[in-house]
Amino acid sequence: MIAAFSVTPLGIGEDVGEAVAAAVRVVRESGLPNRTDAMFTSIEGEWDEVMPVIKRAIEAVKAHSSRVSTVIKIDDRAGVTDGLTAKVASVERHLAADGPSGHR
């Protein structure tokens, strides 16, 4: 499965970089495939591997704020591995087939 999630500390102002970095650090230290962008961190693995990491990431943000908002989106598809890379590669192949103008 792939879980894309964001953890936002509330009540600490606009600069949440340090708190978010604490969550991302937990994910990266998990050893599971992961990717972080401006909106979400995605992590790939089995349910029992991924969910404890997300919980620890939330706890890491709670060290910075007593209130935390979490959004989680899960793609749970049996038999798929390397989904973080494969999904993006599929889109890139379609874009390359379209050519520079975006049209075939």
Side-chain angles (χ1 to χ4, degrees), residues 14-73:
E14 289 186 32
D15 186 7
V16 297
E18 183 179 358
V20 172
V24 172
R25 186 174 296 111
V26 166
V27 173
R28 291 184 178 174
E29 289 174 352
S30 76
L32 294 173
N34 65 84
R35 181 172 293 140
T36 298
D37 62 35
M39 297 289 294
F40 288 94
T41 293
S42 297
I43 183 170
E44 184 173 8
E46 297 298 323
W47 182 275
D48 292 338
E49 297 172 313
V50 169
M51 296 311 287
V53 174
I54 293 174
K55 182 179 179 182
R56 288 194 309 272
I58 293 167
E59 293 299 324
V61 174
K62 280 185 175 180
H64 297 266
S65 173
S66 62
R67 186 174 181 192
V68 176
S69 174
T70 304
V71 175
I72 304 172
K73 181 177 181 178

Side-chain angles (χ1 to χ4, degrees), residues 84-103:
L84 282 175
T85 304
K87 283 184 161 195
V88 174
S90 174
V91 171
E92 292 296 338
R93 278 194 309 277
H94 286 285
L95 288 170
D98 290 344
S101 67
H103 300 288

